[in-house]
Amino acid sequence: MLGDAGLATLRKERGEAFRRAERDETMSTPTDTVTLERHITARPESVFAFLSDREKWLSWMGTDGTFSFEPGGAYLVRVDAEHTASGRFLAVDPPARLVFTWGWETGRMPLPPGSTTVQITLEPGPEGTLLHLIHSGLPSEAACFLHAEGWQHYVDRLADRAEGTDPAPDAGQGAGRPRPAP
């Protein structure tokens, strides 16, 4: 876990983004939880397909992975060359809700696989879908910041894919390498 020295380094490395996150009380409430909302101009069924199909998932997050999209099913996703996440699906309710545990197999963040919970809900609206993401059980302020930053990045990529556009290559996945279309 990052101590005061680690947070100071993180603040220096992440600069203004970290200071904005510290001021934005809506970014994580309570202190072990990250919340995020995003409007996506696509139907919930279309968005949910990107949360429940391996190839579509890997089009917005990850370079490789295995997924068993059913309650109790395991997943393992190589997010980038240094980070592999894993956990289990707790609820798969198309096209409205996906709940899964989350943690890191590899990487610098000391967050054991399956030790936190991510809930994604999709609400239909007249102009598409409102995505709500809640990531709870995070162990520290630094973990909340890093995961808020990461989820924002990947939810933006998910929205691009669901809306039919191709997000730029993911720098964490090797900038410049083309990504296959879903």
Side-chain angles (χ1 to χ4, degrees):
M1 193 171 297
L2 294 175
D4 290 340
L7 280 174
T9 301
L10 183 62
R11 284 183 182 103
K12 184 177 179 184
E13 289 174 357
R14 303 295 176 133
E16 183 57 30
F18 190 87
R19 288 186 288 281
R20 280 195 312 269
E22 287 179 313
R23 289 191 303 265
D24 185 359
E25 293 179 17
T26 65
M27 182 153 302
S28 55
T29 306
T31 59
D32 72 341
T33 301
V34 169
T35 61
L36 173 71
E37 286 189 345
R38 169 70 195 257
H39 178 266
I40 300 174
T41 309
R43 295 176 32 165
E45 295 83 0
S46 298
V47 177
F48 198 85
F50 285 90
L51 300 172
S52 58
D53 174 273
R54 179 188 182 275
E55 294 304 316
K56 288 184 177 188
W57 183 298
L58 294 174
S59 76
W60 62 274
M61 177 197 280
T63 60
D64 193 20
T66 59
F67 302 85
S68 178
F69 294 106
E70 60 187 15
Y75 74 89
L76 179 98
V77 61
R78 183 182 312 274
V79 177
D80 60 31
E82 298 177 19
H83 300 91
T84 301
S86 70
R88 293 204 171 271
F89 292 101
L90 303 177
V92 181
D93 301 320
R97 187 171 78 114
L98 183 71
V99 182
F100 52 97
T101 64
W102 177 271
W104 295 105
E105 296 270 338
T106 61
R108 293 188 321 163
M109 179 62 64
L111 192 64
S115 63
T116 64
T117 303
V118 177
Q119 176 173 280
I120 299 173
T121 56
L122 305 174
E123 289 183 28
E127 301 295 322
T129 301
L130 182 59
L131 179 147
H132 300 272
L133 181 143
I134 301 170
H135 189 167
S136 59
L138 293 160
S140 67
E141 175 185 358
C144 284
F145 170 75
L146 290 171
H147 285 86
E149 184 180 69
W151 282 119
Q152 183 66 59
H153 171 75
Y154 284 108
V155 166
D156 287 347
R157 292 179 58 79
L158 168 63
D160 287 345
R161 283 294 190 185
E163 292 171 352
T165 62
D166 190 10
D170 191 352
Q173 297 178 6
R177 188 180 63 193
R179 296 287 297 153

